[in-house]
Amino acid sequence: MKGLRRAFEDFGELILFGVETIVWMARPPYRLELVLAQMSAVGAGSSFIVAITGFFAGAVLALQGHYAMRSFGAEGYVGGFVAVALVRELSPVFMALVVTGRSGSAICTEIGTMRVTEQIDAMETMAVNPVQYLAVPRVLAATLMFPALAMLFSSVGYLGGYLIGVYVSQIPPGPFLEHTREMVNVHDVLHGLLKALVFGAVISIIACYRGYSASGGSRGVGEGTTRAVVMSSIAILMLDYVITFLDLGT
Amino acid sequence: MAVIEVTDLWKAFGDNQVLRGISLSIEKGTTYVVLGASGSGKTVLLKHIIGLLRPDRGGVTVNGVDLSTLAGKELNDFRRIFGMVFQGAALFDSMTVFENVAFPLREKDRRISWDELRARVVAKLRVVDLGEEILGLWPAQLSGGMRKRVSLARALVADPEVVLYDEPTTGLDPITTDSVDSMIDNAKERLGVTSMVISHDIASAFKVADRLAVLYDGHIAAQGTPAEVKQSQDPYVRRFLSLWFGKQ
């Protein structure tokens, strides 16, 4: 019972931290240089790992799609299947899970270390709000860069699917591309980008909050980081369902 | 004139009563040391003075302003009259020495010119006996004593009225401790700042203090000039001080 109450309190504090971050976003001073630095760390810094995972996700989708569809002679639809699966579902979810492991944990560790070594207290005594200085640039950067990373994941994933589908599974390139054009529309793309945007905001708020509330030295920072990654992973899958349900209905 | 007035300050965390009616007064341009063992409530007192914690009862006034009446941006702006040196220096480890010392100035005036910024950073590093050659170093490349010095330069750079020191000599060797003591005296003599030092280092406290208080179990067991505190008949104060003076 006590654990459940603590979990609710913790969730409430997370929500308040998120609201505080959004409020501070609107207030000057605006630190564009910090946002750009974080966009580079979260976006450019994650692009290689996102591209690699995207390539293999697309490649395996092509293999599985070919295996499932060849029994009823629908190999030509593999291109469309790969593209729809990537754009609507796999890109935002896989990319977010990968970037949580890389950047979410880095954000949490950095802010957590600053907390336990009194750097955040020091910032406050210098009349600088730590939420505005530390959380706002990271949340803005992740919210802006996640859709871009999802597009990268989709593009490289489709390339992987095309190469495996056409050159390994011997699907003719014409139908592969043609059915992609037929099956994917702008709504699918926007659906995936919206998910990525929401994941970026939520994951970065969780990572910043866990770092900000860290205590108890390096062990506390480690525990905070673990909790940030676990909580983010669960949040990604739950929000994925909610957004898909709201879009598709029953 | 008193810069800081603490009146009947009480604070508890859950069942743990940390401060029990602290009252003290710090005069402009003097160094006031709060001496006490670990867990006596020194850091909690310091956090009240800078407005990081709110009292359960009693209050803190700084330059006649009751801190409990301030919140948000007002409190944030008010804190500019303080500079603080943390126990572990608390330098930003993702910034160079220059960026660390320049940080309060940049945040105070985001349009400050590069030349002025550099000149003021170098001037404050000189106050703590450090030269320009360390501007590009990272905190991880500095020794413990140098980190404390850079931390003081950062605390002084925006010309605060009051500098707060949290355990400035903890974990330092005797020679470095002596140089940190000189650094605290220098800041008072050369810049006229009011200082409050939180410490459990008896020798260092008696060296730098104009006035001092001994904190025990959340209340002040003795306060006055170093000579007056030394003569205190309070049993705890006598036992605490004898740990150092007994060796002399």
Side-chain angles (χ1 to χ4, degrees), chain A residues 24 27 29-33 110 113-114 117-129 133, chain B residues 47 50 52 76-77 79-80 82 84 86-88 90-95 103-104 107 110 154 166:
Chain A
W24 276 106
R27 291 190 187 174
Y30 305 110
R31 296 181 169 89
L32 186 62
E33 71 284 1
E110 187 183 4
T113 305
M114 290 184 75
T117 56
E118 296 184 309
Q119 293 177 52
I120 290 180
D121 289 337
M123 203 171 267
E124 272 187 281
T125 62
M126 288 178 231
V128 175
N129 183 288
Y133 194 88
Chain B
K47 286 188 173 175
I50 206 161
L52 290 175
N76 241 9
D77 289 345
R79 285 196 185 117
R80 290 192 202 280
F82 294 109
M84 183 153 171
F86 286 82
Q87 188 174 345
L91 297 177
F92 302 126
D93 45 25
S94 59
M95 297 182 194
F103 185 85
E107 289 302 321
R110 294 174 65 79
R154 185 178 68 177
D166 186 10

Side-chain angles (χ1 to χ4, degrees), chain A residues 17-149:
Chain A
F17 184 85
V19 170
E20 195 184 345
T21 305
I22 291 164
V23 168
W24 276 106
M25 259 178 213
R27 291 190 187 174
Y30 305 110
R31 296 181 169 89
L32 186 62
E33 71 284 1
L34 294 182
V35 178
L36 292 174
Q38 289 302 321
M39 285 171 77
S40 168
V42 174
S46 303
S47 54
F48 181 71
I49 190 169
V50 166
I52 290 279
T53 46
F55 183 90
F56 285 104
V60 82
L61 269 181
L63 282 181
Q64 295 283 20
H66 181 251
Y67 172 76
M69 292 179 185
R70 71 181 170 192
S71 52
F72 45 93
E75 293 100 319
Y77 287 91
V78 168
F81 163 72
V82 168
V84 170
L86 280 173
V87 163
R88 289 186 63 93
E89 203 57 46
L90 294 185
S91 291
V93 173
F94 273 25
M95 176 279 301
L97 290 171
V98 166
V99 179
T100 293
R102 184 189 176 277
S103 301
S105 58
I107 287 171
C108 185
T109 308
E110 187 183 4
I111 296 180
T113 305
M114 290 184 75
R115 165 60 79 196
V116 300
T117 56
E118 296 184 309
Q119 293 177 52
I120 290 180
D121 289 337
M123 203 171 267
E124 272 187 281
T125 62
M126 288 178 231
V128 175
N129 183 288
V131 172
Q132 191 189 31
Y133 194 88
L134 297 171
V136 167
R138 285 164 174 81
V139 172
L140 271 177
T143 308
L144 294 171
M145 291 313 293
F146 268 46
L149 289 169

